[in-house]
Amino acid sequence: MSAHPVSPNDATPAPPGTALPHNRLSYWLDRLLVAIGELSAWLWVLCLLVVLANVFSRFVLARGSIALEEASWHLFGAAVLLSLAYAVVRDDHVRVDVLSEKFTLRSRTIIELLGIIFLALPIVVLMVDALIPFAYQAFVYNERSQAPSGLPYRFIFKSVLPLGLALLALALFSKATRCSTLLFNFPRAFTAPSDGRAHDHSQP
């Protein structure tokens, strides 16, 4: 969609759906993260199929499967983690707008930028730093489920933990640059080419 710069000196309360202006960096980062989020949505379909197969096996064939049950947990977790960045880019995550909807666009942007820099981004980066050795250790020891018929190669799912949070960190960084574009005009605002997407979301 076309992202037109909004004056930081706007003194009227910002409508709930007001989008921040894009810059070139945020535009391409957001496109990448949206594409990954849309692709990972297929994990929900796969998760549903695994759950249905497990239900059929348990209640029709009277043969429960620990592997199928664990696969459904892992797929559910992976789908959630890989959609976090998408939710930030599209601004579809949960917010408390009782007060912020009364603020001007500039005030909301300042709060957003400070929250990202001093709270959200440092916490996410620390989590990624802690989870990379966690996944690597599972790979080194070829960790598998403790159940005899459970899934092997547990490092695959454990690697999704830092990956999903790293994508979230990129989404937060992109949002921070967009806040900077509105407040300081750095990086410079970028008018994205129209691609027919809905105009009420904060995405390219």
Side-chain angles (χ1 to χ4, degrees), residues 5 17 22 26 30-31 37 41 46-47 57 60 67 70 76 79 84 89 93 108-109 112 119 131-132 140 163 173 201:
H22 271 289
S26 71
D30 286 359
R31 283 183 67 91
L46 184 57
C47 181
S57 175
V60 177
E70 290 184 351
F76 179 85
L84 293 177
V89 170
H93 53 294
R108 291 176 62 180
T109 304
E112 185 98 9
L119 184 62
L131 287 170
I132 289 176
V140 169
L163 174 61
F173 172 74
H201 288 287

Side-chain angles (χ1 to χ4, degrees), residues 21-40:
H22 271 289
N23 53 72
R24 288 186 182 276
L25 176 60
S26 71
Y27 175 73
W28 291 110
L29 275 177
D30 286 359
R31 283 183 67 91
L32 173 64
L33 295 171
V34 166
I36 293 173
E38 291 175 345
L39 185 62
S40 67

Side-chain angles (χ1 to χ4, degrees), residues 67-100:
L68 285 176
E69 189 170 348
E70 290 184 351
S72 66
W73 301 342
H74 294 337
L75 288 171
F76 179 85
V80 170
L81 285 163
L82 295 176
S83 63
L84 293 177
Y86 178 91
V88 170
V89 170
R90 295 293 301 271
D91 209 21
D92 285 339
H93 53 294
V94 177
R95 287 180 177 273
V96 181
D97 289 332
V98 176
L99 295 177
S100 66

